[in-house]
Amino acid sequence: SITVQLGDESYKGTRLEYYSGLYSAVPGLLINGRAVYAEKENWQVENSDGHSRGILSYCEDKQVWGILLSGNKFSSGQKYLINGDYFSFDPCDFILSSPKLPDSYDIIKASSVQWYSWIGVMSSVSHFSLFC
């Protein structure tokens, strides 16, 4: 399990601090050979399609680790089974990301670098920490 702490920025009306907490590797789910981490159930936050969940995944195209908001079964994107529920997401549709980390298979390498927010324009995240 990984603990993520986020600052108080907002994304489309959702405060990122709501996605702070414990993320666990999804058993049997690898994207491009890398583990995918899902936020432990956090149903405080809803998007326009219903509930969403924080996902921590690697985007091969951009070579970054990112945190994104999953949608429910009504959202577009690839559907993945996570803890008995289907969630749709694109690993490259992140709201926060590490800088480029080519060939990074270990999420811990992303814990010691500056992360960036993609809310409107790219900017440094005021507070981000990731640890085991």
Side-chain angles (χ1 to χ4, degrees), residues 66-82:
I67 292 180
L68 53 120
L69 306 180
S70 69
N72 65 12
K73 63 184 177 182
F74 303 109
S75 298
S76 60
Q78 177 72 39
K79 290 182 177 34
Y80 299 94
L81 183 62
I82 300 175

Side-chain angles (χ1 to χ4, degrees), residues 19 42-54 69-75 85-88:
Y19 291 91
N42 175 3
W43 300 116
Q44 304 174 54
V45 182
E46 291 191 14
N47 62 19
S48 60
D49 292 330
H51 296 294
S52 61
R53 172 179 274 180
L69 306 180
S70 69
N72 65 12
K73 63 184 177 182
F74 303 109
S75 298
D85 290 316
Y86 282 96
F87 290 87
S88 300

Side-chain angles (χ1 to χ4, degrees), residues 98-119:
S98 68
K100 282 190 175 187
L101 294 170
D103 303 319
S104 173
Y105 285 82
D106 185 358
I107 185 61
I108 298 308
K109 288 183 180 178
S111 66
S112 61
V113 295
Q114 174 68 52
W115 278 56
Y116 298 93
S117 167
W118 294 89
I119 300 167

Side-chain angles (χ1 to χ4, degrees), residues 6 10 14-15 22-23 37 53 57 60 63-64 68 73 82 85 91 93 102 125 127:
L6 297 168
S10 292
T14 299
R15 294 184 61 91
L22 191 62
Y23 285 67
Y37 301 85
R53 172 179 274 180
S57 183
E60 184 73 28
Q63 301 179 325
V64 299
L68 53 120
K73 63 184 177 182
I82 300 175
D85 290 316
D93 189 21
V125 175
H127 176 77

